[in-house]
Amino acid sequence: MTTGLRDELRTLTTEAVDASLSDIDTISTLDAARRMNALDRSVPLAVEPCLPAIARAADLIADAFARGGRLVYVGAGTPGRLGVLDASECPPTFGTDPSQVVGVIAGGPVALTTAVEGAEDDEDAAVRDLDALGLTSDDVVVGISASGRTPYVVAAVREARRRSATTVAVACNADSAAGREADVAIDVVVGPEFIAGSTRLKAGTAQKLVLNMLTTLAMVRSNKTFGNRMVDVRATNDKLVARAFSLVQDITGAADADVSAALSESDGEVKTAVAMILTGSSAEDARTRLSDAGGSLRAVI
């Protein structure tokens, strides 16, 4: 490690040591848990000042979806895993194609479960990984880095900008290097960790909150919900089949038999089934109406 890097790390709040926690190895586990919990309460408060930037980023992502673009998360270590996790939750929750929200982690899929030495420092790999995706100007790249200086992430944001893609950076230090490269900087300053430098803690929680908001709000703007109901949910297991039935019945007030018939005819598509029942149309006609309305169930009914 160079002297310059050591000096740089000393300036980051995510690397700082909270002296008030220096005795956590001498107190009871319950007392330590209480102090950790108290510290975690500060995370949503740290997110609050970033809400305008988060909303702007979510709108840009929704705009990208509308023109056929993708959301691409890029990160290393814990941030990379959080990006992959958020991407993997979109298809079952919102009925999206798996290619619409993509998670890229430094070191490749093996890095999801095993630390890949040096992966976060490989700037050339970031360029190669985005090239492999065929990144275009229609896409949005969200670089995620607790420190905001991870070379792989900064290089990915820079390369995405070179390709005229929209860029967002999510970091946990003020005026982050990644944020300076991005169109939208979301710098959530959470302060020192319970265990100094362990950014899977408060920083990880903050990043998870932000990613939740980015995809959820973008999907709401993209008509993937009806109010706060996930009407594009894919019924891929017994729980989700039951949820789909309840969603259709709650929205329409229809009898059990009518709900079952609509879901059967619509191949389990909640939004289509609701439109069928409330407009008296066939599944094919309901799908056409929804398509013409940009997927907005509210507009159709």
Side-chain angles (χ1 to χ4, degrees):
M1 181 187 295
T2 65
T3 301
L5 179 54
R6 289 198 301 270
D7 291 341
E8 180 185 2
L9 293 179
R10 288 191 185 101
T11 69
L12 303 179
T13 60
T14 48
E15 295 291 326
V17 178
D18 185 342
S20 71
L21 298 170
S22 61
D23 63 344
I24 59 170
D25 57 340
T26 68
I27 61 178
S28 73
T29 303
L30 178 56
D31 285 341
R34 287 185 176 125
R35 288 166 71 173
M36 190 173 182
N37 182 241
L39 206 61
D40 286 343
R41 291 190 197 119
S42 68
V43 176
L45 297 178
V47 172
E48 188 172 1
C50 301
L51 293 179
I54 292 169
R56 182 183 172 210
D59 282 338
L60 289 171
I61 293 167
D63 290 344
F65 289 163
R67 60 178 181 263
R70 299 167 294 177
L71 165 59
V72 179
Y73 285 130
V74 180
T78 297
R81 295 179 189 105
L82 290 171
V84 172
L85 172 63
D86 197 65
S88 69
E89 293 290 352
C90 288
T93 306
F94 300 109
T96 57
D97 188 281
S99 66
Q100 187 174 23
V101 183
V102 181
V104 178
I105 184 169
V110 68
L112 289 171
T113 57
T114 306
V116 178
E117 297 299 329
E120 72 170 45
D121 297 322
D122 194 340
E123 298 182 26
D124 292 339
V127 175
R128 291 195 301 271
D129 289 345
L130 291 185
D131 188 58
L133 286 176
L135 194 77
T136 76
S137 58
D138 287 330
D139 299 325
V140 177
V141 169
V142 176
I144 318 163
S145 166
S147 67
R149 60 153 302 279
T150 306
Y152 178 91
V153 174
V154 175
V157 173
R158 187 182 298 124
E159 175 65 12
R161 193 183 65 199
R162 189 188 72 78
R163 292 172 180 247
S164 299
T166 301
T167 54
V168 178
V170 180
C172 292
N173 282 291
D175 190 31
S176 68
R180 291 195 297 272
E181 294 284 352
D183 296 309
V184 182
I186 303 172
D187 291 333
V188 186
V189 183
V190 296
E193 296 286 3
F194 183 76
I195 302 296
S198 182
T199 52
R200 69 183 183 88
L201 302 177
K202 287 195 300 179
T205 300
Q207 291 164 59
K208 182 66 168 70
L209 291 175
V210 171
L211 302 192
N212 282 350
M213 296 178 81
L214 291 181
T215 44
T216 301
L217 296 175
M219 294 299 177
V220 171
R221 293 278 75 84
S222 301
N223 299 317
K224 306 299 287 184
T225 67
F226 178 72
N228 65 343
R229 292 179 168 94
M230 55 173 83
V231 289
D232 268 330
V233 64
R234 288 184 180 173
T236 55
N237 58 42
D238 289 345
K239 180 188 74 175
L240 294 179
V241 168
R243 180 179 292 166
F245 188 98
S246 295
L247 282 167
V248 175
Q249 192 160 61
D250 288 348
I251 295 170
T252 65
D256 287 3
D258 294 331
V259 172
S260 294
L263 282 169
S264 176
E265 187 179 338
S266 65
D267 295 323
E269 296 171 0
V270 171
K271 188 185 286 184
T272 303
V274 171
M276 289 170 59
I277 292 170
L278 294 183
T279 64
S281 58
S282 66
E284 182 179 357
D285 185 41
R287 290 190 184 103
T288 299
R289 294 188 188 199
L290 286 165
S291 178
D292 292 343
S296 173
L297 178 60
R298 194 175 295 279
V300 168
I301 65 176

